[in-house]
Amino acid sequence: MAINIQTFRTRALTALVFVIVMLAGLFINSFSFISLFIFIMAGCLYEFVKILKKINGSKFIYYLPFALIYIVMPLFMMIDMGIKGNVYSPLIPCSILFSIWINDTMAYLVGSFIGKTPLSKISPKKTREGTFGGIILCIVVITLAGYLIPVAKIIHWQQWLCLAAICAVFGTTGDLLESKLKRVAGIKDSGNLMPGHGGFLDRFDSLLVASPFVWIYIQLLF
């Protein structure tokens, strides 16, 4: 699968804007941090309801409780991992997001260059080579960052390795889950938030599944 240069440019440009907005929300202060994830939650809930309506019609209301588990709980866990009492630290939330971004980007690049074997019928464009390459490179980059960056040394590098592995594996699972929802609903993207990237759920599907497992790991760790 060769890289489509125009698609890659569009994705790269919109991803850059997205990263700037996300980092601003994460680092300005605790208020911007909470506001960012409340905004993400609202966007994901809106798109999830639209998908439910396409799948279940007027009966979609019976499936709304799943939104609490799939969307609301994971994003409140992200907030909890950044704010403990009066202490605000975006280190763990940022690490989760960076792990997912690295995994997604590396999986796309590796799959584009050497990907041949489809990973799943749910998402035919994903390849096993790209998926495993993304996971491995994510673990390597995050582990090295945890070992070399002074602020990250409050957590041992082996624990960064575990965190990166959790994000990469369960992030990929989240991507496949959302792909399945879209396939059942008969749509390509959950929304049009970002050209080349789709909507809120398309952008945060990995985060929604990975963050609860990281939260559990963090509770056990500390």
Side-chain angles (χ1 to χ4, degrees), residues 15 17 26 36-37 50 54 56 62 71 80 84 97-98 105 108-109 111 119 128 131 142 144 146 150 162 188 222:
V17 174
L26 288 165
L36 173 67
F37 285 103
K50 286 203 308 181
K54 288 182 178 293
N56 301 293
Y62 298 117
I71 295 171
D80 180 67
K84 290 289 187 182
L97 288 167
F98 282 130
T105 302
Y108 174 73
L109 292 175
L119 175 66
R128 292 182 183 178
T131 299
I142 295 298
L144 283 174
C162 293
K188 181 179 182 293
F222 295 107

Side-chain angles (χ1 to χ4, degrees), residues 110-127:
V110 173
S112 297
F113 283 111
I114 64 172
K116 295 180 180 180
T117 311
L119 175 66
S120 169
K121 293 181 180 178
I122 297 173
S123 185
K125 291 184 179 180
K126 289 187 179 298
T127 64

Side-chain angles (χ1 to χ4, degrees), residues 80-114:
D80 180 67
M81 285 186 282
I83 300 176
K84 290 289 187 182
N86 295 322
V87 179
Y88 163 59
S89 173
L91 177 62
I92 297 299
C94 282
S95 302
I96 296 171
L97 288 167
F98 282 130
S99 296
I100 290 171
W101 293 343
I102 292 168
N103 180 52
D104 287 348
T105 302
M106 293 300 103
Y108 174 73
L109 292 175
V110 173
S112 297
F113 283 111
I114 64 172

